[in-house]
Amino acid sequence: MKNDNRNKGGVDAKPIRIKVGGKERMFDIDDPGLPDWVEKNKLTAGGYPYDERMKRKDFDQTLETLQKELVKLQSWMQATGERVMVVMEGRDAAGKGGTIFRMHRYMNPRTANIIALPKPTEAERGQWYFQRYIAHFPTAGEFVTFDRSWYNRAGVEPVMGFCTPEQHQKFLDDAPRFELTLVSEGIRFFKFWLNIGQETQLERFHDRRHSALTHWKFSPIDVAGMEKWDDYSAKRDLMLERTHTPYAPWQVVRANDKRRSRLAVIRHVLLSIPYAGRDEKAIGKEDPRIISDAPAFLRSL
């Protein structure tokens, strides 16, 4: 018997016609059966370089090693007053929250903060666009991670019509100048874009829709976003091109396999900061098939 999730969480999701890989497809997210064309390509979508997920045992062992290094990093930050700020961006269902959870899991929450702001209030809409984010920037010894950030104005806002074209273009001009200020202040600043393939996103949305535990994550924005894949891609590419700078570079992480992407993000942060006691051998080397800077990613498209 079909598990009818229609309107679950207050979301009405009718079957939609979308273009995937140059072909028109019908996708009914309320059908409990995942279409064969999604199941077949959910890992390899978008040119993902691996055809198998990382083994759980290897992931767990490596993750624990990296988490121990994060604890060292935090101790060093407390001793030196260093500040670290991470911006985690990506399409819906890219794995931002899961990556942040594993990065922060064993860090002291008193000085390792996760910032996930709701939509702006009426008062905040009247402020300078960046203003509400600044209050959450790190003080001495703090590690702050933004689960989405001011880069909403580079992606979801222009795609969904939540800002004007003029506001979007102004943001692309202003963001590099804004980030130069915070880097010049001495904050160690990281920007990650978690990149997933289209079938990967559809499979993750489908899982959410049919889960008694996570269906609340599926939103009207997700429904609309499924039909705007190409528009999101165009805005992503423009964002990476216009806001990647030598002082605030974008790192693009191929995230179809959540295990590899989570390790790649944590490893990049650890290898970028010269904290006391850093064990580079234990951290390991970056996988260029999984993580690259924005220019290299754009050249690969």
Side-chain angles (χ1 to χ4, degrees):
M1 181 176 179
K2 180 177 178 180
N3 177 21
D4 190 356
N5 286 306
R6 243 172 251 283
N7 285 316
K8 201 167 191 178
V11 180
D12 184 19
K14 298 177 181 179
I16 59 173
R17 183 178 298 276
I18 54 177
K19 183 176 287 187
V20 181
K23 295 183 179 180
E24 293 285 340
R25 302 279 196 180
M26 288 300 299
F27 184 67
D28 183 0
I29 200 165
D30 284 318
D31 185 339
L34 192 66
D36 290 343
W37 54 271
V38 176
E39 181 67 38
K40 179 181 178 181
N41 298 300
K42 65 183 182 182
L43 180 61
T44 57
Y48 190 74
Y50 291 97
D51 56 13
E52 292 183 354
R53 295 178 69 194
M54 186 179 191
K55 293 181 180 179
R56 165 65 72 176
K57 181 179 179 181
D58 294 339
F59 169 71
D60 288 343
Q61 290 177 344
T62 305
L63 178 62
E64 183 175 344
T65 297
L66 298 183
Q67 287 170 331
K68 290 176 181 177
E69 290 294 315
L70 284 169
V71 172
K72 288 185 195 176
L73 168 63
Q74 191 176 24
S75 296
W76 172 80
M77 291 175 61
Q78 287 291 289
T80 61
E82 290 278 348
R83 294 166 292 171
V84 173
M85 188 160 70
V86 177
V87 161
M88 199 75 67
E89 291 286 351
R91 298 178 194 262
D92 292 312
K96 299 179 292 297
T99 301
I100 293 168
F101 171 76
R102 284 156 182 83
M103 184 162 60
H104 281 252
R105 185 173 183 182
Y106 295 107
M107 299 176 79
N108 185 341
R110 292 182 178 178
T111 56
N113 301 317
I114 300 171
I115 309 300
L117 298 182
K119 65 181 182 180
T121 64
E122 186 65 31
E124 288 171 336
R125 283 194 289 270
Q127 296 173 350
W128 176 44
Y129 179 73
F130 297 96
Q131 187 169 336
R132 73 185 190 126
Y133 298 99
I134 295 173
H136 302 281
F137 280 14
T139 189
E142 283 190 340
F143 188 112
V144 172
T145 302
F146 281 88
D147 185 350
R148 292 196 179 277
S149 68
W150 46 94
Y151 280 100
N152 283 330
R153 182 141 291 181
V156 64
E157 288 190 22
V159 170
M160 302 306 298
F162 297 155
C163 71
T164 66
E166 292 76 18
Q167 288 173 324
H168 175 221
Q169 290 301 317
K170 186 176 188 305
F171 172 83
L172 295 175
D173 290 336
D174 289 348
R177 293 192 289 264
F178 172 67
E179 291 166 5
L180 177 59
T181 300
L182 67 91
V183 172
S184 298
E185 172 60 22
I187 296 174
R188 295 183 183 272
F189 182 50
F190 298 88
K191 298 188 299 191
F192 293 99
W193 175 267
L194 302 188
N195 198 72
I196 55 173
Q198 190 171 10
E199 292 95 327
T200 310
Q201 186 187 55
L202 293 174
E203 187 262 344
R204 292 181 185 176
F205 280 164
H206 186 269
D207 282 353
R208 287 181 179 182
R209 184 67 163 175
H210 295 273
S211 169
L213 297 174
T214 61
H215 66 83
W216 56 270
K217 291 185 177 182
F218 190 71
S219 71
I221 294 295
D222 296 333
V223 176
M226 288 190 292
E227 300 180 275
K228 296 179 179 292
W229 178 270
D230 290 341
D231 196 2
Y232 270 107
S233 296
K235 296 298 188 296
R236 172 204 63 195
D237 295 350
L238 181 61
M239 176 195 76
L240 294 176
E241 180 183 347
R242 293 280 299 278
T243 64
H244 175 87
T245 61
Y247 51 85
W250 278 105
Q251 297 298 320
V252 180
V253 181
R254 295 185 182 273
N256 288 8
D257 178 3
K258 293 180 180 179
R259 295 170 184 169
R260 287 189 174 93
S261 64
R262 289 164 179 170
L263 297 179
V265 168
I266 299 171
R267 182 176 284 126
H268 181 80
V269 171
L270 292 171
L271 290 174
S272 301
I273 303 175
Y275 58 93
R278 183 175 67 176
D279 187 342
E280 292 188 31
K281 184 176 180 181
I283 296 169
K285 296 181 178 180
E286 295 188 281
D287 183 349
R289 292 168 292 181
I290 295 297
I291 186 168
S292 64
D293 64 17
F297 172 76
L298 292 173
R299 288 194 298 269
S300 73
L301 297 179

